[in-house]
Structures are given as C-alpha cells and as structure tokens.
C-alpha cells in the first residue's frame, strides 16, 4: 500500500509555488517566459482529476498552453526536479490497449506507459498522494486486463531454456514477473538513480503488493540471495507455471550443477529415483556452493523455497481433498437413514484406509460400534441425525425379515441418549422387547404362544440383554482373534510371494550372465542386505538411517490420524522391506533412543503387540496427549455406561506418559 507520508510525494506549498513561478516568468532574460501558464494548465487538469481520472502529459500541456514542445519539456522538468521541494509532481500511469496487435508474451505491446504531471491543490496538504494512489489503481487495472485477456504462458520447454540462459548469464532476476512489470515503468524523464528509485517507491512497489493481494502475483523472500534484485521474488500466480519453474530449477541442478560437483569429487552417485523427491539432494548440493557460484547458488536457494511451498500446497490440497471426502461421506450417512457397514463405504471407489477410517470415526456427528456372531465380524456407523429413521428401518426389517441385527446394533450404540423425542425411544423399546421374545426359555415361549401373549415383560428384559451382551463380548473376542490370524496369514503369503519373485528374478539374471551367484546364494544375499544389525559401509549406514526415519514418519502419521501403530502396522506400511524378525531386531538396535513402546492392558485380542511411538512425537505433542487421555480416563470413570476398551487405552497411555515424559528433554 502506498504510504501517504512518503518524502517522494511532497510538493511546495500552493501559494509559495505560485509566487515563485510568477517570479520566474517575470525574469528579464525571458528564459522562463510562459512557465506560469504551464503551471496553471497542470493545475486545471489536476483540479478535475477526481471527475475524469486523467492528468496531462507533455503533449496535452503543450496543446493547452500553446508553448512549443522543447520549452514545455524543459519547464516541466525544471518544476519537477530542480526546485526543492518540487513545484509539480511527475507521475506514471499504465494504459491497456487490448485492440492493438501485439505479442502475448510481451506486455509492452499491449500496455503503454504514460508520464503525467500533477499540481496538488490546497486541500491536498502539500502531497501528491491522492493522485499517485489513483494512477496506481488505473495501472493495476491495466495489468490485470493484460494478464487475464492477453498474456500467454511460454510453456514448460521454453521456461527451461529461459531459466538456463538467465542463470548462465547471471541474470535470474530477469525471469521474475516483477522485472517484466518493472520494465513498463521506464520513464524517459528519470535520468538519475534517485529519480528511478522514486518511481519504484511511488508506483512499482505498491502495485506489486496490490497484485499479490489480488492473487495475480505470487511472492516469496530469498533472504540468502547475495544481490538485492534476487531477494524479493514475484512470479505470476498460476500453479502450473510455478510448478514448471520448479521443475526447470531441478532440471538445471540435475543436469548442470550436480555433474560439475560430481566431477570435482565432492558428490557421489545419485540414483534417478532420488530426484523424484529431491529436497535432500538439493540441500546437499547447496551446502557445497558459495557466493562465487552466483545465480547458480541463487537458483538452489529458490528451488528449496519452492520445494517447501509446493510440498505444503500438496499437503494442503490433500487435507482439503480428505476433508471434502469426509464431508461427502458424512452427507451420505446423513441421507442413508439407517445404520451402515463401515466395510461397505468407499472413497473414489476404494475401501477406507486406516487413517481415513480413524478420521471418519472421530467425527462427533457419528455413532460407531462393533458387532459379531459366531460367523462374522462387522463394524457399523450411524449419523446421529438419522437415529429416528434408523429405528423405523430396524422395525421394518424385523417385521419383514424377522432379523433383529439392526435392533441389536442400535442398542449397542446406545442411541436413546441422543434422542430428545420420546416417541422414537418408545418405538425402539417396543421392537426390542418383541425381538427378545425368542430368547425366553422354551416352555415360557411355548406357553405364551399358545395363550396368544407373545410379549416379554419388563423385568425379563435386563437379564436377557445381559446374557446377549456376554455372548457378544465372547463372539467379538473370537472374531478379532480370527481376523488378526487371517491378516498375519495374508502378510506372510505376500512376503513369501515377494521372496519367490525376488529369487526368480535373481535366477533369471544369473542365467543371463548378469549375476554369478546361485539362487540359494542370492537368497542368502537378500537376507544379509535386509539384516540391519551388521556393521556396514557408510552407504549402508545411510540406508539404515533412512529406514529409521521412514519408520518414525509412519508412526507419527498414524498417531496424527488417531491410529495406535504396532509392529504389524509398520510392516504393512513398509511393503515387505523387512521381515518381522528383522524389523524387531532393527528396532532394538537403531530405535532405542528414537522409538518407545507400551502395551494396552486387558485388550490382548485387539492390541496383541505393544504400541509404538516416536520420541520426537512425544516431545512435540506429549503434553497435549497427556491432557487428552487424562480427560478420557476421567470421563470413562464418571460415565454411567463406561467403554471398557477406551478406559483401558487411556489408562495404559497415562501410565506410559507418566513414566516417560519426565525423562524427555524438550
């Protein structure tokens, strides 16, 4: 935003300037003959600025004053620059001419620069702020018009060539949008650095800021740049164009800078896959560069800044996408009007991931429960707004199919505590009582059927429900054990299949002469490569460090999404990189100071292995996690119908955090 107190905008008091110019006009040598008329013409135009938003240029002043062109130019230069403070203010404005033929890659062919002059009135308080501000608005509108209607992006391939040529010439700043737009403000009357700087301060900087605010330009700082021209980076705010610039930077680093450093012997071989996520390589390359590399170093600095920006944008887009997917699923559940099996839910045609599932189930608007019998294990979810409809659905299903599954699930969800209306509560109690008739003793059932009184008395309901709850608990435990066993079997089969494929691949390479080892030796080599406990070369130690960082990232992401990760979870995310034995051994050797574990008490079926958590996560979120589980533990203690599983999880975490957090240094 333009500062109204800029010294560059100050002008001489109106009365004083009239007296001074009159005196100049009256000089005996006639060197300023007619200058007073020039001043009055400029004043008349300035006085009408609020109505027509126009200030005069030299041609208009010449026409209105009838003073020849050379003298008019000399007079306005004298009044603008040679008096202190200035008598009139030289200003600049851009005009958009969309109908003229031009080059869509060159804004100068559509945007014309105009130098104008203002003599502020007595109400302006000795400053040209109002007129500079108005002209900047006109210039901003002109740039936006060109950007939206005429500008054409050069394309990815040409972008790479332009970047390479600019860096090789040590003029990377020529590729910035600010340089291209700054060239539009090249005023023929600015002869000295002070005059040029005044134009930048009055016009270019405020316009660039406004264009950033209006999302036309994208801005970031590079404070490490050695030259001031490279410190403030303005780019056109088109994501694809910014991504192409980043790719051009990476391409230059990969094909020009890295080979030079490799030839010097300071960098080793880098795999092609490493360039897909090049942050570590770029950081390493930058560490070998000093100021003598010029714009090559500047390019690396900007490349790392853009890498961080692009990664954050991807993360933001992913979060927004996940948020939208959650909202879509929530809308579906709100319209379903019944309980829904979690396993049947899909996102983009795919089953829910563990992280997405945890996020969905953490929504306060949904109810969730597990249900099992001797044959199957199911998970159900229900939107709270659908409870009355779900009760009606359960009634219809029971009447038509004689299935009490929906009734049992609704009862397990304890939906009645979320109802304010008594009518749905009574309906659920009624159909629940009807569904419990089949669980009465045989002779009691038979007698009531003979008597036509197929009802269950209120005093009979609690013991039947208690019996059913005990059976459900046993079935859930049995089905979870079976599910865990099936998952382990699936993982084993997947790992065996991968091992077989690796052996076949090794055998094929051996037959082709690419390897001299037998399949058996190859298998042994594979075992040795995956063994993390042996002493290795610096390259192998680097690989082990990357592995522990990957495991820590997996654990941190799981905790962020409300998942309690154990070693089976880590194995599933590593896609067969480790066997179970190697992972355990690896964590013992390398994870001692980086990863902690704790068991969940009384929940052996659901949590057979200790839960893993990284030291870094505890340092960052330990206090917040402690407060959260403390509140959950207290809530379950005071709840009329506590959830045993949630209580055990909270208590186990509390015990662990009480023991570990005091030992951790922030």
């Amino acid at each position: 935003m333009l500062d109204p107190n800029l010294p560059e905008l100050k002008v001489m008091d109106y009365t004083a300037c009239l007296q001074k110019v009159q005196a100049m006009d009256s000089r005996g040598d006639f060197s300023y003959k007619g200058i007073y008329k020039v001043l009055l013409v400029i004043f008349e135009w300035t006085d009408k600025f609020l109505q027509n938003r126009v200030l005069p240029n030299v041609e208009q002043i010449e026409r209105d004053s009838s003073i020849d062109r050379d003298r008019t130019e000399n007079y306005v230069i004298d009044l603008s620059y040679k008096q202190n403070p200035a008598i009139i203010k030289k200003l600049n404005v851009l005009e958009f001419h969309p109908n003229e033929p031009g080059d869509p890659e060159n804004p100068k062919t559509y945007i014309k620069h105009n130098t104008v002059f203002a003599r502020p009135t007595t109400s302006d308080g000795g400053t040209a702020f109002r007129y500079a501000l108005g002209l900047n608005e006109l210039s901003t509108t002109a740039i936006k018009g060109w950007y939206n209607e005429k500008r054409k992006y050069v394309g990815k391939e040409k972008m790479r060539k332009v970047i390479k040529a600019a860096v090789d010439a040590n003029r990377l700043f020529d590729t910035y949008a600010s340089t291209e737009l700054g060239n539009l403000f090249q005023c023929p009357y600015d002869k000295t650095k002070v005059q040029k700087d005044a134009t930048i301060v009055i016009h270019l900087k405020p316009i660039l800021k406004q264009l950033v605010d209006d999302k036309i330009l994208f801005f970031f700082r590079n404070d490490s740049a050695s030259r001031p021209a490279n410190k403030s980076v303005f780019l056109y705010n088109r994501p694809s164009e910014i991504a192409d610039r980043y790719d051009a930077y990476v391409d230059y680093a990969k094909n020009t800078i890295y080979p030079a450093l490799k030839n010097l012997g300071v960098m080793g071989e880098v795999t092609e896959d490493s360039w897909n996520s090049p942050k570590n390589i770029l950081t390493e390359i930058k560490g070998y560069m000093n100021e003598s590399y010029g714009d090559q170093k500047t390019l690396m600095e900007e490349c790392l800044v853009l890498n961080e920006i692009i990664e954050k944008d991807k993360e933001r887009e992913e979060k927004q996408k996940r948020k939208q997917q959650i909202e879509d699923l929530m809308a579906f559940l709100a319209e379903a009007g019944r309980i829904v099996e979690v396993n049947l839910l899909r996102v983009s045609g795919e089953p829910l991931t563990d992280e997405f599932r945890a996020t969905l189930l953490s929504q306060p608007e949904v109810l969730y429960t597990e249900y099992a019998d001797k044959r199957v294990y199911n998970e159900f979810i229900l939107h709270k707004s659908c409870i009355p409809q779900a009760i009606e659905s359960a009634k219809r299903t029971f009447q038509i199919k004689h299935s009490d599954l929906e009734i049992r699930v609704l009862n397990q969800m304890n939906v009645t505590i979320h109802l304010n209306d008594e009518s749905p509560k009574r309906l659920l109690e009624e159909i629940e009582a009807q569904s419990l008739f089949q669980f009465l003793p045989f002779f009691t059932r038979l007698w009531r059927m003979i008597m036509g009184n197929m009802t269950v008395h209120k005093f009979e309901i609690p013991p039947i429900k208690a019996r059913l709850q005990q059976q459900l608990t046993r079935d859930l435990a049995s089905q979870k054990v079976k599910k865990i066993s099936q998952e382990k079997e699936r993982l084993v089969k997947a790992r065996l299949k991968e091992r077989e494929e690796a052996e076949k691949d090794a055998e094929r390479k051996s037959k082709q002469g690419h390897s001299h080892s037998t399949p058996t030796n190859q298998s042994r080599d594979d075992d040795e490569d995956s063994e993390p406990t042996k002493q290795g070369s610096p390259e192998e130690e680097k690989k082990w460090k990357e592995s522990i960082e990957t495991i820590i990232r997996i654990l941190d992401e799981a905790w962020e999404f409300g998942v309690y990760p154990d070693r089976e979870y880590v194995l599933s995310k590593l896609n067969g990189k480790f066997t179970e034995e190697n992972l355990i051994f690896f964590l013992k050797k390398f994870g001692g100071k980086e990863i902690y574990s704790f068991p969940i008490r009384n929940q052996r079926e659901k949590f057979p292995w200790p839960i893993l958590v990284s030291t870094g996560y505890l340092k960052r979120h330990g206090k917040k996690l402690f407060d959260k589980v403390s509140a959950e533990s207290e809530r379950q203690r005071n709840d009329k119908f506590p959830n045993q599983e949630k209580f055990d999880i909270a208590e186990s975490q509390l015990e662990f955090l009480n023991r570990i957090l005091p030992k951790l240094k922030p």
Side-chain angles (χ1 to χ4, degrees):
M1 187 61 68
L2 184 63
D3 183 359
N5 298 315
L6 281 175
E8 290 84 355
L9 293 173
K10 297 295 182 183
V11 293
M12 187 181 293
D13 175 74
Y14 182 66
T15 304
C17 86
L18 286 179
Q19 294 172 350
K20 184 171 183 65
V21 175
Q22 280 179 330
M24 294 168 66
D25 199 330
S26 303
R27 282 173 53 169
D29 57 6
F30 301 107
S31 57
Y32 286 105
K33 191 66 177 176
I35 193 172
Y36 186 67
K37 191 172 184 180
V38 168
L39 176 65
L40 292 180
V41 168
I42 296 173
F43 177 77
E44 289 173 1
W45 279 87
T46 306
D47 195 38
K48 299 175 184 176
F49 180 77
L50 291 180
Q51 287 77 38
N52 56 25
R53 308 277 284 178
V54 177
L55 288 174
N57 56 22
V58 170
E59 290 80 2
Q60 289 162 329
I61 297 171
E62 176 191 1
R63 185 173 59 250
D64 291 359
S65 65
S66 301
I67 307 293
D68 65 78
R69 176 63 177 265
D70 291 342
R71 289 170 63 200
T72 301
E73 282 199 341
N74 289 334
Y75 289 167
V76 296
I77 290 173
D78 193 302
L79 296 174
S80 298
Y81 296 127
K82 295 184 180 179
Q83 309 301 322
N84 189 21
I87 291 176
I88 64 174
K89 179 54 62 180
K90 187 274 299 180
L91 298 170
N92 300 268
V93 64
L94 302 180
E95 300 167 352
F96 178 43
H97 299 272
N99 297 324
E100 292 190 8
D103 180 3
E105 294 180 7
N106 182 7
K108 279 190 174 183
T109 58
Y110 290 106
I111 300 178
K112 305 302 180 183
H113 173 268
N114 194 7
T115 303
V116 295
F117 301 88
R119 171 55 247 183
T121 65
T122 53
S123 62
D124 289 312
T127 177
F129 168 74
R130 176 165 55 171
Y131 310 100
L133 185 65
L135 295 178
N136 286 351
E137 291 175 358
L138 295 174
S139 298
T140 302
T141 301
I143 293 171
K144 287 181 181 178
W146 164 77
Y147 179 82
N148 293 320
E149 298 177 29
K150 295 295 183 180
R151 180 179 182 269
K152 180 181 178 183
Y153 169 48
V154 298
K156 187 171 185 176
E157 287 306 314
K158 188 171 181 180
M159 168 73 82
R160 290 190 178 191
K161 294 177 182 178
V162 168
I163 293 295
K164 186 178 188 312
V167 175
D168 290 344
N170 218 35
R171 293 185 63 86
L172 182 60
F173 56 81
D174 281 345
T175 67
Y176 302 156
S178 52
T179 303
E180 187 172 61
L181 298 179
N183 290 335
L184 299 173
F185 286 94
Q186 290 179 346
C187 177
Y189 298 103
D190 290 340
K191 303 298 183 182
T192 66
K193 185 178 184 304
V194 173
Q195 293 167 356
K196 292 176 182 178
D197 289 346
T199 298
I200 292 173
V201 170
I202 294 172
H203 296 294
L204 183 58
K205 286 186 175 180
I207 289 172
L208 291 177
K209 185 179 186 308
Q210 186 60 50
L211 291 172
V212 171
D213 292 342
D214 294 340
K215 310 298 183 184
I216 301 297
L217 297 182
F218 174 78
F219 168 77
F220 66 87
R221 289 282 299 174
N222 177 19
D223 291 318
S224 302
S226 57
R227 289 185 295 184
N230 295 108
K231 290 184 181 294
S232 296
V233 182
F234 292 85
L235 308 175
Y236 292 111
N237 191 24
R238 285 185 175 152
S240 59
E241 192 170 330
I242 295 174
D244 287 349
R245 173 179 284 267
Y246 170 72
D247 289 342
Y249 283 3
V250 173
D251 183 73
Y252 190 94
K254 177 181 177 182
N255 296 315
T256 303
I257 301 176
Y258 165 68
L261 293 175
K262 184 181 176 185
N263 290 337
L264 290 174
V266 298
M267 289 194 70
E269 195 69 40
V270 175
T271 63
E272 189 67 26
D273 289 342
S274 299
W275 289 103
N276 295 329
S277 298
K279 182 177 180 180
N280 292 336
I281 302 174
L282 298 174
T283 304
E284 183 180 357
I285 291 175
K286 179 177 171 288
Y288 294 118
M289 305 180 79
N290 55 31
E291 299 303 328
S292 66
Y293 281 86
D295 271 0
Q296 288 192 350
K297 180 173 181 290
T298 304
L299 177 139
M300 296 305 302
E301 293 164 350
E302 291 184 15
C303 192
L304 284 167
V305 173
L306 286 175
N307 175 275
E308 184 176 352
I309 291 169
I310 288 172
E311 290 301 318
K312 284 183 178 179
D313 284 345
K314 286 181 180 178
E315 183 180 348
R316 190 182 305 112
E317 288 174 5
E318 187 62 32
K319 287 183 178 179
Q320 186 61 37
K321 180 182 177 182
R322 189 160 53 240
K323 180 182 176 184
Q324 185 59 51
Q325 290 170 338
I326 289 289
E327 290 176 356
D328 292 343
L329 270 184
M330 292 296 289
F332 166 76
L333 293 171
E335 294 173 1
R338 55 183 174 81
I339 59 172
V340 177
E341 279 192 51
V342 176
N343 291 337
L344 297 180
L345 296 175
R346 293 291 183 270
V347 174
S348 301
E350 297 294 327
L352 306 187
T353 62
D354 291 342
E355 294 85 354
F356 192 94
R357 180 178 172 279
T359 304
L360 177 64
L361 298 184
S362 67
Q363 300 300 309
E365 297 89 356
V366 301
L367 298 172
Y368 163 81
T369 192
E370 301 169 296
Y371 194 83
D373 56 27
K374 296 185 183 301
R375 295 171 298 172
V376 295
Y377 166 84
N378 284 320
E379 296 172 288
F380 292 97
I381 191 171
L382 173 66
H383 199 285
K384 290 179 180 178
S385 66
C386 294
I387 293 175
Q389 299 97 303
I391 294 173
E392 290 287 350
S393 174
K395 177 183 177 182
R396 287 193 302 271
T397 303
F398 181 68
Q399 290 175 341
I400 297 171
K401 300 180 180 179
H402 302 290
S403 170
D404 62 351
L405 173 64
E406 294 182 34
I407 299 173
R408 300 287 165 262
V409 171
L410 291 173
N411 182 60
Q412 189 72 7
M413 289 179 172
N414 201 14
V415 295
T416 54
I417 66 172
H418 302 287
L419 287 171
N420 296 322
D421 191 355
E422 291 297 323
S423 179
K425 290 183 181 180
R426 287 195 299 271
L427 178 58
L428 182 59
E429 291 173 357
E430 178 185 331
I431 59 175
E432 183 182 20
Q434 294 174 11
S435 70
L436 295 177
F437 182 79
Q438 60 181 311
F439 299 103
L440 288 170
F442 174 73
F443 288 109
T444 303
R445 264 196 341 268
L446 181 61
W447 174 253
R448 292 184 185 176
M449 290 171 65
I450 293 172
M451 300 299 295
N453 184 23
M454 298 174 61
T455 60
V456 178
H457 300 303
K458 283 188 176 181
F459 69 88
E460 295 173 317
I461 293 177
I464 295 176
K465 289 177 68 173
R467 194 167 71 249
L468 291 176
Q469 185 61 44
Q470 290 175 353
Q471 183 61 45
L472 174 62
T473 302
R474 288 194 295 269
D475 289 341
L476 280 172
S478 174
Q479 291 295 339
K480 285 181 180 178
V481 170
K482 188 184 297 184
K483 185 179 179 183
I484 292 171
S485 176
Q486 290 173 346
E487 182 64 18
K488 285 184 178 179
E489 186 178 350
R490 185 190 65 78
L491 288 173
V492 169
K493 287 181 179 179
R495 292 169 194 163
L496 287 175
K497 185 177 180 181
E498 289 175 3
R499 175 59 60 83
E500 289 172 1
E501 289 176 354
E503 290 179 352
K504 288 179 181 178
D505 186 56
E507 186 176 359
R508 177 177 56 78
K509 288 182 179 179
S510 176
K511 289 179 180 179
Q512 292 175 349
H514 294 298
S515 173
H516 299 291
S517 62
T518 65
T520 304
N521 290 336
Q522 182 66 39
S523 176
R524 187 182 303 116
D525 291 342
D526 288 343
D527 288 341
E528 290 173 357
D529 288 342
S530 63
E531 174 60 65
T533 61
K534 65 179 184 179
Q535 295 297 320
S537 64
E539 186 65 29
E540 288 172 324
E541 291 178 358
K542 180 181 178 182
K543 183 173 68 174
W544 300 336
K545 183 181 178 182
E546 290 174 353
S547 295
I548 199 69
E549 289 175 351
T550 300
I551 292 172
I552 289 172
R553 191 188 77 252
I554 290 171
L555 295 177
D556 290 353
E557 288 177 352
W559 278 91
E560 285 294 328
F561 285 106
V563 176
Y564 299 113
D566 58 11
R567 67 191 192 212
E568 292 291 340
Y569 178 88
V570 174
L571 282 172
S572 68
K573 293 294 182 181
L574 289 173
N575 298 320
K577 184 177 180 181
F578 288 98
T579 65
E580 188 170 0
E581 292 181 358
N582 278 341
L583 178 64
I584 296 171
F585 212 44
F586 181 84
L587 292 177
K588 284 182 179 178
K589 182 171 179 65
F590 294 100
K593 296 181 180 180
E594 303 292 340
I595 297 173
Y596 285 98
S597 65
F598 64 93
I600 301 294
R601 68 181 197 183
N602 303 328
Q603 297 292 331
R604 192 71 178 170
E605 295 82 5
K606 186 168 183 178
F607 301 101
W609 312 115
I611 304 303
L612 305 176
V613 59
S614 72
T615 304
Y617 188 87
L618 290 175
K619 287 181 178 180
R620 294 191 303 273
H621 305 292
K623 180 65 169 59
K624 184 170 72 173
L625 186 61
F626 181 84
D627 293 341
K628 179 181 177 182
V629 296
S630 297
E632 179 63 28
S633 175
E634 191 65 27
R635 182 163 54 251
Q636 294 301 330
R637 287 178 188 275
N638 299 329
D639 200 330
K640 186 176 180 181
F641 300 101
N643 185 309
Q644 186 64 43
E645 180 183 310
K646 290 183 178 180
F647 178 73
D648 289 335
I649 293 173
E651 283 294 296
S652 300
Q653 290 184 72
L654 270 179
E655 181 184 349
F656 167 71
L657 294 172
N658 276 320
R659 178 166 46 89
I660 295 300
L661 289 181
K663 301 178 182 179
L664 296 179
K665 295 181 180 179

